[in-house]
Amino acid sequence: PASKSSMEKRYMSVCTVSQSFLPYMGGLAKYVNALGKKFVRDGHEFRVVHFKTPEIGAIDFASGIPLMRTNVEGLGESAVSGYMRFKEHLLNATHLSGEVPESPQAVPEFADYMGVNAKIADYVLDTYDYRQFDILHIHDFQLLPLAGMLGRLKTPKVFTFHIPFTMQIPLPWREFIAGCLGQYDLAVVSTEEYAQAAIASGVPKEKIARIWPFIDQGEYSFEGQNDAREKLGIGREDFLILCVSRMDPRKGQEMLVRAMEKVAKGFPR
């Protein structure tokens, strides 16, 4: 028979780090917020470290999840702007869009990108020293090098990569990403293709996990009559196509609009 101690539920303290979070709401913020609320409901501690902007406070408990914000702007406007420009190059490399420099290290703003990450690393270490946590969970490409800057932190480090990782990414950029991922105890990607590309690029197989993205379906439950068509002036018989994504060139909404010409010819309704 299992002993009483082995049957007791193990509660954890999780520290999540991302570039942005509440009150700025995007796909990643929705993901982390849903994850955090689930942890809190189950009795775990969940805190979020993210970037501070001038108009919001350094610490916030209003959401039910402790938010600790790092003043990266203290590094200076030039460093923060350089960080922003570098991560655009990284986005272009992973999304195969636009011109991409030969390698990450060849980008003049590479030092700014690493400098901002070093600032976040110092803040994570200070947070740990103040109140220790069991797991560090870092999100997305903006904070990719963080694990390599947290040498004295022995807590398991998990990284979730929310953007594409394919063999089509230029080799120097793919090697840079893989090198960073390999410094984590576990790297999470969203598809089997991305997992295989990471392994082929040098990330140890045992460090890769494929976990599909998720939403909290409870946030989207709807009761009663759906009157969206009436509000938008769309007839009950009109054929409706819904595209759910932010307005961004990378999302390709213009492709959907252009495709409508062909669709309308085949399906006049």
Side-chain angles (χ1 to χ4, degrees), residues 9-58:
K9 190 170 183 179
R10 171 75 170 99
Y11 292 105
M12 294 185 298
S13 174
V14 180
C15 180
T16 284
V17 189
S18 63
Q19 177 184 283
S20 60
F21 193 61
L22 301 174
Y24 306 106
M25 190 56 74
L28 178 57
K30 294 285 284 185
Y31 175 98
V32 174
N33 193 44
L35 188 64
K37 287 181 177 179
K38 171 64 175 171
F39 268 83
V40 171
R41 284 197 300 269
D42 288 348
H44 303 291
E45 182 191 56
F46 190 90
R47 67 185 99 158
V48 176
V49 174
H50 69 106
F51 289 18
K52 182 186 182 306
T53 55
E55 66 274 11
I56 56 177

Side-chain angles (χ1 to χ4, degrees), residues 47 123-133 153 155:
R47 67 185 99 158
Y123 195 77
V124 169
L125 291 171
D126 287 345
T127 301
Y128 182 78
D129 290 339
Y130 173 73
R131 184 178 176 86
Q132 293 187 0
F133 43 82
L153 185 67
T155 297

